[in-house]
Amino acid sequence: MFTALKIAWRFLVNSKIQTLVIILGIAIGISVQMFVGLLSKGLETSLLDKVVGNSAHITIYPKNNIIENYHDKEAKIKKLDNKIISVAPVVECNASINAHDMTEPAQIRGFVFKDLNLLYNIKNKIYEGKTLENPNEVLIGKELGEKLGLKIKDNINIVTADKRKVSLKVVGFYDFDTIKVNKTLVITDLKAAQDLAGFGDAASSMELYTSDPYNADYIASKIENGLKDKNLKIENWKNQNKLLVSAIMGEKVCSIVIQLSVMIAAILSIISIMSISVVQKYKQIGILKAMGIKDESAGFIFITQAFILGIVGTGIGVALTYLYIKAFNRYIVSSDGKPIVTIIIDYSFIIKLCIIDIMASTLAAFFPAIKSFKLTPVEVIKNG
């Protein structure tokens, strides 16, 4: 084996241009694979964040007006699937906001503090102030806050259609990147919203966050079968955004097809060049066999060559991928200077792809190795 390794290295060094061509072919192929794969993941994450980041993965609605005993239902739901991270009771009602002698319509939504960040990642969406920490505090959307001329620590009065009223203090301004939401949604404490809605310790819906949003439909089905409550309607984000789900799945399939096509092209080029290499080295292989080298060792020379080329080409390919990502995030940007798609480095994906590509590069030398294995000194002498 050590002899085969030395000979393989000698062949690579002596054929510098051929070696360089193979390495570049592998590196470019792998870099394209990685970049397309990471771009696909970044696009998928961005789309999910835009849609799912501003809504719950699963929502439970009552067929009548309210969900009573939501504490018991919350405990039961969490036991149905370990992918359910948060079950948040929500109280929602329509009202008017009075501030600075102005009145605007609003949708009031009340949450338990700990659930708010899990559901909406609210800390990253607050651009001024802080998140809710105490009762009788409120978060206001960017456009609504600007229209009413509100500032941090201002007090606002919220009045419902049936004259229920509460005074709340503004502690933060959020931006969901959706003007319609920013202009109407007012976020407050669950108890404050319950007082405004006027139906006591109950919820108008329950919102669920899971660790696996892609299987939200499957989890929703488990919840429906587990609760067996005909007075509840269970919906999930996939059913509410069917066109988006189809687009994401189509994009993932296209990404996989492109990656496989590039890999196959790289493998075929390696097989072609390595086959030519065997023909070019007929005399050397014949002489080595005449000197006593075994057929297995002769074949192993080309397997070893391919393995070395795969490792070097993969390493260069990873470096090229990093340059692609850096250039993409710097130059492919929107009008506000932010990348159109934020590409996140997924190390597990890169490692898996590196292993697959090195194995594929090594196996590509299988047919050339068989040629070398079958070659005899007599055939070399006969063919000159």
Side-chain angles (χ1 to χ4, degrees), residues 37 58 73 132 178 186 191 216 243 247 265 304 353 379:
I58 300 170
K73 289 180 173 60
L132 301 177
T178 305
V186 174
K191 182 64 171 60
L243 287 176
T304 306
L353 199 57
E379 187 178 351

Side-chain angles (χ1 to χ4, degrees), residues 124-294:
N124 289 333
K125 293 181 170 65
I126 294 174
Y127 64 91
E128 184 181 351
K130 61 178 183 177
T131 188
L132 301 177
E133 295 176 353
N134 300 297
N136 299 324
E137 293 180 340
V138 68
L139 298 175
I140 302 292
K142 181 180 179 181
E143 277 73 20
L144 182 58
E146 290 175 351
K147 191 169 185 178
L148 293 174
L150 295 173
K151 296 179 181 178
I152 299 297
K153 296 185 179 180
D154 278 355
N155 289 317
I156 60 173
N157 294 317
I158 300 179
V159 183
T160 63
D162 51 1
K163 305 303 179 182
R164 289 189 181 87
K165 181 178 178 181
V166 67
S167 180
L168 302 174
K169 182 171 72 172
V170 177
V171 294
F173 295 100
Y174 69 81
D175 184 4
F176 279 153
D177 291 326
T178 305
I179 293 176
K180 186 177 179 181
V181 174
N182 291 346
K183 285 177 68 175
T184 58
L185 180 60
V186 174
I187 301 172
T188 187
D189 170 57
L190 183 69
K191 182 64 171 60
Q194 286 174 335
D195 292 341
L196 276 169
F199 47 60
D201 189 18
S204 54
S205 64
M206 298 180 75
E207 297 187 351
L208 280 65
Y209 177 84
T210 73
S211 60
D212 186 9
Y214 272 118
N215 284 318
D217 50 347
Y218 171 71
I219 297 171
S221 179
K222 285 181 69 175
I223 293 169
E224 188 172 3
N225 294 331
L227 290 178
K228 295 179 181 178
D229 191 334
K230 294 182 179 179
N231 293 319
L232 296 177
K233 180 182 178 183
I234 301 173
E235 295 185 355
N236 65 85
W237 77 272
K238 291 178 73 175
N239 288 341
Q240 295 168 339
N241 299 275
K242 289 181 180 180
L243 287 176
L244 176 66
V245 173
S246 297
I248 290 175
M249 295 307 296
E251 181 269 332
K252 288 182 75 172
V253 170
C254 290
S255 172
I256 291 170
V257 170
I258 291 170
Q259 291 179 62
L260 286 175
S261 299
V262 171
M263 181 185 288
I264 291 169
I267 290 171
L268 290 175
S269 67
I270 293 169
I271 292 172
S272 176
I273 295 174
M274 294 294 283
S275 297
I276 294 170
S277 178
V278 172
V279 174
Q280 290 175 336
K281 293 178 172 59
Y282 264 6
K283 289 186 179 180
Q284 293 94 320
I285 295 168
I287 292 169
L288 289 169
K289 286 194 173 184
M291 292 173 63
I293 192 170
K294 294 181 180 179

